[in-house]
Coordinates of all heavy atoms in Angstrom, one line a residue:
S12 N -27.3 -15.5 -1.0 CA -28.7 -15.8 -0.4 C -28.4 -17.1 0.3 O -27.6 -18.0 0.1 CB -29.6 -16.2 -1.6 OG -29.1 -17.2 -2.4
F13 N -29.3 -17.3 1.3 CA -29.3 -18.5 2.2 C -30.6 -19.3 2.1 O -31.6 -18.7 2.0 CB -29.1 -18.0 3.7 CG -27.8 -17.3 3.9 CD1 -27.7 -16.0 3.9 CD2 -26.7 -18.1 4.3 CE1 -26.4 -15.4 4.1 CE2 -25.5 -17.5 4.5 CZ -25.4 -16.1 4.5
T14 N -30.5 -20.6 2.3 CA -31.7 -21.4 2.4 C -31.6 -22.2 3.7 O -30.6 -22.8 3.9 CB -31.7 -22.4 1.2 OG1 -31.8 -21.7 0.0 CG2 -32.9 -23.3 1.3
F15 N -32.5 -22.1 4.5 CA -32.6 -22.8 5.8 C -33.6 -23.9 5.7 O -34.7 -23.8 5.2 CB -33.0 -21.8 6.9 CG -32.0 -20.7 7.1 CD1 -32.0 -19.5 6.5 CD2 -30.8 -20.9 7.9 CE1 -31.0 -18.5 6.7 CE2 -29.8 -19.9 8.2 CZ -30.0 -18.7 7.6
S16 N -33.2 -24.9 6.4 CA -34.1 -26.2 6.4 C -33.9 -26.8 7.7 O -32.8 -26.8 8.3 CB -33.6 -27.2 5.3 OG -34.3 -28.3 5.4
E31 N -31.8 -33.0 -1.0 CA -32.1 -31.8 -1.4 C -31.0 -31.1 -2.2 O -31.2 -30.3 -3.2 CB -32.6 -30.8 -0.3 CG -34.0 -31.2 0.4 CD -34.2 -30.5 1.7 OE1 -33.4 -29.6 2.1 OE2 -35.3 -31.0 2.2
L139 N -22.3 -22.2 -2.7 CA -23.4 -22.7 -2.1 C -23.2 -22.9 -0.6 O -22.3 -23.7 -0.2 CB -23.8 -24.1 -2.8 CG -25.2 -24.7 -2.4 CD1 -26.4 -23.7 -2.6 CD2 -25.4 -26.0 -3.1
I140 N -24.0 -22.2 0.2 CA -23.8 -22.4 1.6 C -24.9 -23.1 2.3 O -26.1 -22.8 2.0 CB -23.8 -20.9 2.3 CG1 -22.8 -20.0 1.5 CG2 -23.4 -21.0 3.8 CD1 -21.5 -20.3 1.5
G141 N -24.8 -24.1 3.0 CA -25.8 -24.9 3.7 C -25.7 -24.8 5.2 O -24.8 -25.0 5.8
L142 N -26.8 -24.3 5.8 CA -27.0 -24.3 7.2 C -28.2 -25.1 7.6 O -29.2 -25.0 7.0 CB -27.1 -22.9 7.7 CG -26.0 -21.9 7.5 CD1 -26.5 -20.5 7.9 CD2 -24.8 -22.4 8.4
I143 N -28.1 -25.9 8.7 CA -29.3 -26.5 9.2 C -29.4 -26.3 10.7 O -28.3 -26.4 11.4 CB -29.2 -28.0 9.0 CG1 -29.5 -28.3 7.5 CG2 -30.3 -28.7 9.7 CD1 -29.6 -29.6 7.1

Side-chain angles (χ1 to χ4, degrees):
S12 62
F13 295 92
T14 300
F15 294 93
S16 174
E31 290 169 4
L139 186 60
I140 312 298
L142 294 172
I143 291 184

